[in-house]
Amino acid sequence: MNRDQAVAHACKYFDEGQFEADMLRRVAIPTESQTTDGLPYCLRYLTEEMCPAFEAMGFSCKIFDNPIEGAGPILLATRHEADEYPTVLGYGHGDVIRGMDDQWMEGSGPWKTARDGDRLYGRGTADNKGQHTINMAALKAALAARGALGFNAKFMIETGEENGSAGVLEVVQANIEAFNADVLIASDGPRVQADKPTLSLGARGAMNFSLTCNLREGGHHSGNWGGALADPAAILSHAIASIVSQTGQIKVKEWLPPPIPQFAREALANVVIEGGSTAPKIDPDWGEPGMTTAERVYAWNSFAVLAMLSGNPQNPVNAIAPSAHALCQLRYIAGTDKDDIIPALQRHLMVGGFTNVTVEDPPPENAAGFNASRTELDAPWVIWARESIRRSTGQAPVMLPQMGGSICNEVFTNTLGLPTIWIPHSYTACSQHAPNEHVLLPLCREALCLMAGLYWDLGGGETPERNFHF
């Protein structure tokens, strides 16, 4: 058997409809980790879908209870073939964002897959059930072609990524030997362009916080009191304007990361973010001046106001509101001092005279966040993976220092000490975290072939020098 036969096994899995059949079952399990009702389904996803699939490939499965109350369980599947082989850790998350059932305009709603042309709709198709389903099927294809993997494989499926992967760090720290490996190879997030394989080496961090201007109890008539009472919405708006310019440039100096290194600029020089016909139009003048859009997303920090409220927008009255609130977020790259993000903002507001604007913890449902981390572009495993992808697709992958979004990458880089390689199987206009989530089926087929080739290459004996030894 050879590499081409491994790829052929993966193609057959897709062409005969097995990928869509697996997605139909898996999407139907409403694993909403952000709701209490969803937690039992998270466990069901592991026991009914993941464990049988891994066990059929000769993996042993262990489900860890989450030490964080209200957080979902974590599965570790392990297949050990030989002590001298490299050990590859995979990752996926079985939980999904809220279904938003009544907002879907395409497909058949969140919990039933529906095909429309090249699109397959359903909650989790892109984030992340479809992506780890592809990698699992590719593993199976490589195993079928060789009769063995030729490497040791571990695969983590957690069920709380949409809540900030609560408990994952604690479980890994308590079971270091069980999770240890030589490299993480996993899939999440989108390609920068649907037709270009992408390789990301880390993730931006995300820190949410609330800004509040609370001046008094109750609203007061804007005719009788207008001109005599300060408007908290106006004050908060000016405070936010002191944080970010009208063109999106961050104005809190401590929030600015180190200058983009030359190797990152070179890697991003020809990267064009393209999500297809349904993607929003990029605003080329938004963000740090003198940078390309790719540099702003994949190599710089960005600030966003996620929500803002003052008064009653649904039923406004002629009254000066007593308070104003904004939920904000800083996405930041490795090299940013995360411990100084909030203190720096507090100092900035104080110097600006905004003594009545306070920085507070976000609501619990919006508190989840991740730390920034990445692997360097010249790491041996990165070079190896880039060549495997080029061999499968005929083109070198787009190289990103880190993905624009956030994920628990620091658990793998900092706690386990692994190089991390993310190979996304979605695209930027997939409606991830929104109604009408979907994947592109041709992209999924290509990803299956790409990953089958990569897993075949892992068993070929020409991987970088091992870090982890049994």
Side-chain angles (χ1 to χ4, degrees):
M1 303 292 273
N2 56 39
R3 191 181 199 269
D4 289 342
Q5 289 167 315
V7 172
H9 277 289
C11 292
K12 182 179 179 182
Y13 165 81
F14 183 89
D15 294 341
E16 294 186 350
Q18 191 57 50
F19 173 70
E20 289 188 52
D22 285 345
M23 291 311 301
L24 177 66
R25 294 193 319 276
R26 291 170 184 176
V27 166
I29 304 175
T31 51
E32 297 172 303
S33 60
Q34 297 180 324
T35 68
T36 303
D37 291 342
L39 286 176
Y41 292 106
C42 289
L43 178 59
R44 178 183 155 193
Y45 185 78
L46 299 184
T47 58
E48 293 187 8
E49 284 294 328
M50 297 293 98
C51 286
F54 280 114
E55 289 166 352
M57 292 189 283
F59 285 71
S60 60
C61 293
K62 179 176 176 57
I63 294 177
F64 296 88
D65 292 331
N66 199 308
I68 306 299
E69 184 178 356
I74 299 160
L75 166 68
L76 179 65
T78 303
R79 179 185 168 101
H80 179 70
E81 292 191 354
D83 289 355
E84 63 269 22
Y85 285 171
T87 300
V88 179
L89 177 63
Y91 167 90
H93 63 89
D95 67 311
V96 297
I97 205 76
R98 292 179 180 89
M100 305 177 188
D101 303 46
D102 59 345
Q103 299 180 44
W104 284 60
M105 302 297 290
E106 305 289 345
S108 302
W111 313 121
K112 185 177 180 180
T113 56
R115 182 171 183 169
D116 183 5
D118 287 342
R119 295 184 176 191
L120 185 69
Y121 289 90
R123 178 63 83 216
T125 51
D127 189 19
N128 173 264
K129 293 176 179 179
Q131 302 214 38
H132 62 252
T133 293
I134 286 170
N135 290 359
M136 291 164 66
L139 266 174
K140 188 175 181 179
L143 180 60
R146 184 176 269 131
L149 290 176
F151 61 94
N152 303 313
K154 298 179 179 180
F155 213 115
M156 175 201 296
I157 302 288
E158 64 145 314
T159 58
E161 192 272 346
E162 302 297 0
N163 274 335
S165 295
V168 169
L169 174 62
E170 290 80 359
V171 168
V172 170
Q173 286 177 327
N175 301 276
I176 288 287
E177 291 188 9
F179 286 92
N180 226 336
D182 292 292
V183 63
L184 173 89
I185 298 178
S187 300
D188 197 26
R191 295 179 173 188
V192 292
Q193 293 178 253
D195 62 346
K196 293 186 180 298
T198 298
L199 197 155
S200 301
L201 305 181
R204 289 202 290 186
M207 183 171 290
N208 290 1
F209 53 89
S210 293
L211 294 177
T212 297
C213 182
N214 192 354
L215 299 184
R216 62 186 69 88
E217 292 292 329
H220 295 275
H221 194 281
S222 59
N224 297 334
W225 293 96
L229 296 181
D231 186 337
I235 293 172
L236 185 58
S237 296
H238 282 281
I240 292 172
S242 80
I243 297 170
V244 62
S245 75
Q246 63 182 13
T247 56
Q249 182 179 8
I250 292 174
K251 298 163 71 173
V252 182
K253 64 180 185 299
E254 295 91 342
W255 283 8
L256 300 179
I260 301 174
Q262 185 60 29
F263 71 83
R265 286 192 179 275
E266 291 173 358
L268 296 171
N270 297 314
V271 172
V272 176
I273 301 174
E274 173 56 61
S277 60
T278 60
K281 183 180 178 181
I282 289 173
D283 297 305
D285 297 325
W286 183 263
E288 189 68 16
M291 291 186 182
T292 67
T293 299
E295 289 171 345
R296 292 166 180 156
V297 174
Y298 302 119
W300 202 248
N301 296 351
S302 63
F303 170 80
V305 179
L306 305 182
M308 193 169 179
L309 178 68
S310 184
N312 188 337
Q314 287 74 34
N315 296 289
V317 295
N318 291 320
I320 298 170
S323 60
H325 310 272
L327 176 63
C328 303
Q329 180 184 79
L330 182 71
R331 295 272 184 177
Y332 63 95
I333 66 167
T336 305
D337 185 356
K338 69 180 182 65
D339 295 327
D340 195 41
I341 290 174
I342 299 303
L345 176 59
Q346 291 170 326
R347 296 193 300 270
H348 174 86
L349 292 173
M350 188 62 64
V351 169
F354 297 103
T355 56
N356 47 15
V357 175
T358 59
V359 185
E360 301 174 351
D361 292 335
E365 63 270 20
N366 300 115
F370 295 99
N371 295 325
S373 60
R374 69 167 177 252
T375 297
E376 297 307 326
L377 284 159
D378 59 354
W381 275 103
V382 174
I383 296 170
W384 178 91
R386 183 177 60 198
E387 175 56 26
S388 175
I389 293 172
R390 187 206 60 77
R391 185 179 177 189
S392 293
T393 64
Q395 60 178 319
V398 174
M399 302 289 292
L400 302 181
Q402 55 260 312
M403 62 181 78
S406 303
I407 203 166
C408 58
N409 193 68
E410 79 274 10
V411 172
F412 309 115
T413 56
N414 300 352
T415 304
L416 292 174
L418 306 182
T420 56
I421 297 168
W422 297 86
I423 306 170
H425 306 325
S426 183
Y427 79 121
T428 53
C430 66
S431 296
Q432 174 185 348
H433 286 203
N436 309 326
E437 180 181 347
H438 63 278
V439 286
L440 298 178
L441 289 169
L443 192 161
C444 292
R445 189 181 190 277
E446 181 188 70
L448 276 159
C449 298
L450 180 159
M451 294 303 297
L454 184 141
Y455 288 133
W456 175 271
D457 292 343
L458 281 168
E462 297 182 0
T463 54
E465 184 177 351
R466 298 185 58 204
N467 297 317
F468 166 61
H469 299 275
F470 283 92

